[in-house]
């Protein structure tokens, strides 16, 4: 990843003064001289959630890829046009620059922080370890998103200002290293000591919550490896499962504020922009209507001036006035932005049981039990009741024993619905589980993307390493597969 640092030296004009420049110490009195490490972590947390969840099609087109939404006036991104607005660059840059860059610098500052407010040397070291482990978990999460999106990426040579032309590392090798790093981070946590405190926007420094998040992330990464490294996946999942989320209250999320600039990105695109760019697709809305899905009235609005729901056509221009727009709940500026949820964890546990993994502790149970918990948690997340979840699950087309398809299709279909507000992960899980069976839109310029192509800036400025990476993955095209996508 390349950074261009610009240093501006203002012209100082002294018409009558005879002061030496040294008298001014060359210091900008309005600029902070020392940035606390926790502040950098806070910004990284905010930018991470913003980037992976925003509906802005200039950054994150994945709601189109999984056919939750369709476009109205400007359908290019829903037809898988990537380069016109440099979608790949606008997803790549903030994750490298604003998330990993800030975490990297925050780690350096915290490592060198004397923690002078803590006298006991043993406690000081434990607190520092908690803070560094928190950063490490966030880094692992972000690197995994980049690999899942692009495949081979700059990793071992990235974030180094001395090397502006980093090589691209093998995606499978990166994942292997991320697993090692995550295990180390988990071992560093001490729940009896504090973490980043108010600098932590997800858990307010609660280390026990970070341990659960780290293990839930380990569960996710383990299941991602299940088709390509089943033994490794089994060991990871069985180790993590007893320590994962057990309720919606433990979700990893950013609680947005009602004022600028910290409102939910959905609010900014759906309300603040004054634009009407999105409607739901018939691909999602029609089956939700057919199964009386209690989330329907939260996911979508009725067609204007009517009492019915109607989905638009994926990959085509659609009329905003004649289709169902995203629901009013998504227009709440304080709607939390999600990184990882209890519902997703339960779907992963259901899959683990089907793959023959042995789950213990709070994770013990049948695939059906975990599936039911996952669906119920998703419905509750959107304001539904337990009774509504029971009625929904009682339908023959939804009940685990009678729903159509094999376990991948059953779990994958319901997971696709539940990840409605997590477009990046919804796209990853659709590629991994191959469910539901989405069809290429008629007007699309390619098959449904299995990856984003590399930013043009990499091809232009890091040409040799870019060319090697493109060759290694089978070509810099959207149909090249990430290493774990074997089906």
């Amino acid at each position: 990843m390349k950074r261009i640092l610009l240093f501006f030296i203002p012209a100082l004009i002294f018409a009558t003064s005879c002061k030496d420049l040294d008298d001014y110490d060359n210091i900008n009195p309005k600029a902070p001289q020392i940035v606390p490490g926790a502040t950098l972590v806070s910004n990284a947390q905010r930018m991470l959630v913003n980037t992976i969840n925003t509906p802005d099609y200039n950054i994150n087109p994945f709601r189109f890829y999984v056919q939750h939404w369709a476009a109205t006036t400007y359908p290019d991104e829903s037809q898988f046009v990537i380069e016109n607005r440099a979608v790949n660059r606008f997803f790549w840059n903030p994750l490298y620059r604003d998330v990993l860059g800030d975490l990297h610098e925050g780690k350096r500052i915290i490592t060198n922080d004397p923690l002078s407010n803590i006298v006991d040397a043993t406690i000081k070291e434990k607190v520092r370890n908690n803070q560094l482990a928190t950063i490490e978990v966030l880094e692992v999460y972000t690197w995994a998103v980049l690999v899942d999106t692009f495949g081979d990426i700059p990793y071992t040579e990235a974030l180094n200002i001395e090397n502006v032309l980093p090589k691209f590392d093998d995606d499978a090798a990166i994942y292997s290293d991320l697993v090692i790093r995550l295990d180390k981070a988990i071992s560093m946590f001490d729940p009896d000591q504090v973490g980043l405190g108010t600098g932590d926007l997800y858990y307010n420094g609660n280390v026990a919550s970070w341990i659960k998040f780290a293990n839930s992330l380990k569960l996710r990464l383990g299941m991602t490896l299940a088709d390509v490294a089943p033994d490794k996946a089994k060991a990871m999942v069985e180790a993590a499962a007893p320590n994962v989320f057990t309720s919606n209250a433990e979700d990893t999320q950013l609680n947005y504020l009602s004022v600028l600039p910290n409102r939910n990105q959905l609010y900014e695109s759906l309300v603040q922009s004054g634009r009407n760019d999105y409607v739901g697709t018939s691909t999602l809305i029609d089956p939700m209507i057919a199964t009386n899905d209690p989330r329907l009235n939260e996911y979508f609005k009725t067609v204007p001036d009517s009492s019915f729901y109607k989905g638009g056509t994926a990959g085509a221009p659609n009329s905003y006035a004649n289709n169902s727009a995203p629901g009013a709940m998504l227009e709440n500026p304080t709607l939390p932005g999600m990184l990882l949820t209890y519902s997703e964890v339960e779907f992963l546990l259901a899959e683990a049981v089907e793959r023959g993994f042995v789950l213990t502790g709070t994770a013990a149970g049948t695939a059906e039990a975990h599936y039911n918990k996952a669906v119920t948690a998703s419905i509750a997340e959107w304001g539904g009741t337990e009774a509504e979840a029971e009625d929904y699950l009682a339908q023959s087309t939804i009940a685990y024993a009678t729903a159509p398809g094999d376990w991948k299709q059953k779990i994958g279909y319901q997971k696709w619905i539940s990840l409605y507000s997590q477009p990046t992960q919804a796209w990853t899980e659709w590629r991994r589980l191959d469910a539901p069976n989405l069809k290429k839109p008629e007007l699309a310029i390619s098959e449904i993307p299995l990856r984003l192509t590399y930013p043009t800036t990499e091809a232009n400025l890091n040409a040799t390493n870019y060319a090697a990476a493109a060759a290694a993955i089978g070509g810099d095209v959207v149909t090249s597969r990430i290493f774990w996508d074997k089906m």
Side-chain angles (χ1 to χ4, degrees), residues 337-401:
M338 299 297 188
L339 281 191
L340 209 161
T341 67
Y342 168 57
S343 176
E344 181 186 345
V345 162
E346 287 291 353
F347 279 121
L348 291 168
L349 294 175
E351 179 184 346
V353 174
E354 289 287 8
R355 290 182 182 271
F357 299 171
V358 179
L359 306 183
T360 59
T362 56
T366 64
E368 180 178 10
H370 287 301
Y371 170 91
N372 289 345
K373 288 179 181 179
V375 172
T376 301
S378 176
I379 290 171
E381 179 186 330
W382 289 89
T385 66
E386 189 168 334
E388 286 177 322
E390 289 176 355
D391 289 343
Y392 179 71
L393 286 164
Q395 300 174 82
S396 61
T397 56
I398 304 299
Y400 196 71

Side-chain angles (χ1 to χ4, degrees), residues 61 95 119 181 212 215 224 256 416-417:
L95 292 179
V119 176
R181 291 176 61 176
K212 284 207 166 188
N215 278 283
T224 303
Y256 285 100
W416 172 70
I417 296 175

Side-chain angles (χ1 to χ4, degrees), residues 123-152:
I123 293 177
K124 183 181 298 186
E125 190 63 22
K126 290 179 178 179
V127 170
R128 194 194 315 275
N129 283 344
N130 281 340
Q131 295 177 350
L132 293 175
T134 297
I135 293 175
E136 190 76 348
V137 172
L138 289 168
E139 287 187 335
V140 168
Y141 187 105
T142 308
W143 285 118
V145 168
L146 281 164
V147 171
D148 294 344
T149 303
F150 295 97
D152 293 4

